[in-house]
């Protein structure tokens, strides 16, 4: 009997404690200080969103010439003749790619960067470079021509090159092919003429860099404002291949201003040139232009920067393509 009474008393005590805890939980409120901090956190997040929106609008304003992204020839419509040769391939997580032997496909400035286009609701998987119809487009690396085709609703006339460093590059909106499928080309060789074909609203070059079907941001490999590559080796990574590397909109804007001042650039249906460019042509009609070799320069890099070819440089300077260059050395380029 005593044991039974003790158990009954213990049970009553436990029940009373549970009621007390429940009442405390129902009546408990966060201190006013915590509520104030919570409100400040929400206000801070709202302010950050405004800053992101303002930054996005600022970046979009820098690329007023931006066109609608092209269809992806490796996915959209590939069953209608566009070969997706990497459809069932196993792609490594990372890969180191040699990009030291290169040529800039065209010296034009960036008019539309790589990335998602909110107003078109799809990715722009390459970079658009300013080019006039008829401008020479050059191979970015050594390799072989895989495709020369036409896509009315997308790239227009386009070329796909398979390179010896395992990359593929795509050149879109062309007006004329200068190569044929299975033809071997060197970095800097002319492959086509720029144009305004397909889904395009102004002459430009659409340029893509791909690794086993993955559309890499070209600005991860090339520094277009300085007409060079960022490094001799590019590391492909499935987690970061869409990111640019040290891309500066301000540097691109400065390069664009200089490009317009020294080239005939199409605005609408007109071609204009600054007086500076025409004056230099008339004053040096029959004279060669020279440049000084910088540290790390190759004939390919110099040819790309100056809109010429390695073969032309060799002819002008009486040297072989295998010649070693010295920093400070003077070369005729035109």
């Amino acid at each position: 009997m005593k044991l039974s009474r003790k158990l009954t008393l213990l049970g009553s005590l436990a029940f009373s404690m549970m009621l007390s805890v429940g009442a405390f939980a129902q009546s408990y409120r966060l201190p006013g200080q915590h509520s104030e901090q919570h409100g400040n956190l929400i206000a801070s997040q709202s302010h950050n969103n405004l800053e992101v929106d303002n930054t996005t609008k600022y970046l979009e304003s820098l690329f007023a010439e931006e066109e609608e992204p092209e269809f992806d020839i490796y996915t959209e419509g590939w069953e209608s003749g566009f070969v997706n040769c990497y459809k069932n391939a196993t792609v490594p997580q990372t890969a180191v790619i040699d990009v030291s032997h290169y040529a800039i496909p065209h010296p034009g400035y960036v008019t539309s960067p790589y990335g998602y286009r909110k107003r078109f609701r799809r990715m722009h998987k390459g970079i658009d470079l300013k080019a006039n119809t008829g401008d020479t487009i050059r191979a970015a690396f050594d390799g072989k021509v895989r495709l020369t085709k036409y896509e009315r609703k997308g790239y227009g006339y386009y070329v796909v090159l398979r390179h010896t460093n395992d990359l593929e590059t795509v050149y879109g909106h062309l007006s004329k092919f200068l190569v044929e499928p299975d033809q071997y080309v060197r970095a800097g060789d002319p492959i086509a003429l720029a144009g305004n074909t397909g889904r395009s609203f102004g002459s430009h070059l659409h340029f893509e860099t791909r690794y086993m079907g993955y559309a890499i941001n070209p600005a991860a490999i090339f520094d277009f404002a300085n007409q060079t590559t960022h490094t001799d080796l590019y590391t492909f990574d499935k987690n970061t291949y869409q990111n640019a590397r040290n891309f500066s909109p301000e540097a691109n804007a400065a390069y664009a201003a200089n490009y317009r001042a020294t080239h005939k650039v199409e605005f609408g249906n007109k071609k204009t040139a600054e007086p500076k460019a025409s004056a230099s042509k008339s004053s040096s009609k029959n004279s060669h232009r020279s440049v000084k070799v910088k540290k790390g320069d190759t004939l390919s890099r110099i040819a790309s920067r100056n809109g010429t070819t390695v073969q032309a440089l060799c002819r002008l300077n009486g040297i072989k393509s295998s010649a070693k260059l010295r920093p400070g050395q003077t070369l005729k380029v035109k």
Side-chain angles (χ1 to χ4, degrees):
M1 291 294 290
K2 289 182 180 180
L3 179 61
S4 177
R5 284 179 182 176
K6 285 182 179 180
L7 290 173
T8 302
L9 288 171
L10 286 170
S12 299
L13 179 61
F15 181 71
S16 299
M17 289 176 67
M18 289 173 64
L19 288 176
S20 299
V21 169
F24 175 76
Q26 290 177 355
S27 62
Y28 179 76
R29 294 287 184 275
L30 283 170
Q33 181 184 0
H34 287 194
S35 297
E36 183 180 353
Q37 290 176 350
H38 182 66
N40 291 339
L41 177 61
I42 293 175
S44 174
Q45 289 174 344
S46 299
H47 178 66
N48 288 339
N49 286 338
L50 287 174
E51 287 184 349
V52 170
D53 288 342
N54 290 338
T55 302
T56 301
K57 289 176 182 177
Y58 168 71
L59 288 174
E60 287 179 351
S61 70
L62 293 175
F63 300 100
E65 300 174 60
E66 178 179 285
E67 306 291 354
E68 182 173 356
E70 292 77 2
F71 285 117
D72 183 356
I73 59 174
Y74 288 85
T75 54
E76 295 174 329
W78 66 267
E79 71 281 358
S80 302
F82 301 118
V83 180
N84 181 0
C85 55
Y86 295 109
K87 186 179 178 184
N88 298 313
T90 301
V91 182
Q93 178 66 34
T94 62
V96 178
I97 301 167
D98 185 348
V99 294
S100 59
H101 185 56
Y102 73 94
I104 301 293
H106 187 272
Y109 54 90
V110 176
T111 61
S112 181
Y114 174 103
Y116 183 74
R117 296 293 177 270
K118 189 182 293 184
R119 57 181 169 173
F120 302 122
R121 290 180 291 182
R122 55 194 174 100
M123 278 288 291
H124 184 222
K125 295 187 176 181
I127 270 182
D128 290 345
L129 299 174
K130 185 63 184 176
N132 294 333
T133 298
D135 284 356
T136 302
I137 305 303
R138 302 180 185 278
F141 306 102
D142 294 350
K144 186 177 283 189
V145 180
R146 186 164 74 83
L147 286 174
T148 58
K149 300 195 86 171
Y150 177 73
E151 170 57 50
R152 182 176 64 85
K153 294 183 178 179
Y155 292 85
Y157 290 104
Y158 67 93
V159 173
V160 180
L161 301 183
R162 171 74 59 80
H163 299 291
T164 54
N165 60 5
D166 293 330
L167 287 178
E168 283 199 336
T169 50
V170 183
Y171 310 77
H173 306 307
L174 308 170
S175 61
K176 184 179 180 180
F177 299 133
L178 301 180
V179 291
E180 298 176 347
D182 297 322
Q183 180 178 337
Y184 190 82
V185 295
R186 299 274 184 190
D189 282 352
I191 59 170
L193 301 182
N196 185 24
T197 59
R199 181 172 288 197
S200 172
F201 303 98
S203 297
H204 69 283
L205 170 68
H206 173 79
F207 175 62
E208 295 183 13
T209 49
R210 289 177 175 262
Y211 176 69
M212 300 188 73
Y214 279 73
I216 299 166
N217 187 337
I221 299 174
F222 292 96
D223 178 355
F224 292 99
N226 292 298
Q227 297 288 283
T228 186
T229 52
H230 291 294
T231 53
D232 287 342
L233 298 176
Y234 165 73
T235 301
F236 166 82
D237 190 313
K238 286 182 178 178
N239 296 328
T240 60
Y241 71 94
Q242 294 184 332
N243 299 340
R245 179 172 180 175
N246 303 328
F247 178 74
S248 168
E250 293 81 7
N252 182 66
Y255 178 73
N258 181 65
Y259 184 86
R260 292 191 189 103
T262 55
H263 292 74
K264 286 186 177 180
V265 178
E266 290 181 357
F267 293 98
N269 296 321
K270 297 180 180 179
K271 286 187 180 181
T272 60
E274 296 291 332
K276 183 179 178 183
S278 57
S280 63
K281 283 188 177 179
S282 60
S283 62
S284 58
K285 225 173 191 181
N286 300 314
S287 62
H288 291 298
R289 187 162 66 84
S290 300
V291 297
K292 283 192 176 181
V293 177
K294 300 176 183 177
K295 186 178 180 181
D297 267 351
T298 62
L299 286 172
S300 176
R301 292 184 182 184
I302 295 171
S304 175
R305 285 202 302 265
N306 293 277
T308 185
T309 64
V310 171
Q311 292 84 348
L313 287 178
C314 291
R315 283 196 303 270
L316 277 172
N317 295 277
I319 58 176
K320 295 182 179 180
S321 59
S322 58
K324 291 185 178 180
L325 303 180
R326 305 183 310 277
Q329 179 182 349
T330 301
L331 286 180
K332 295 175 183 177
V333 293
K334 284 185 181 178

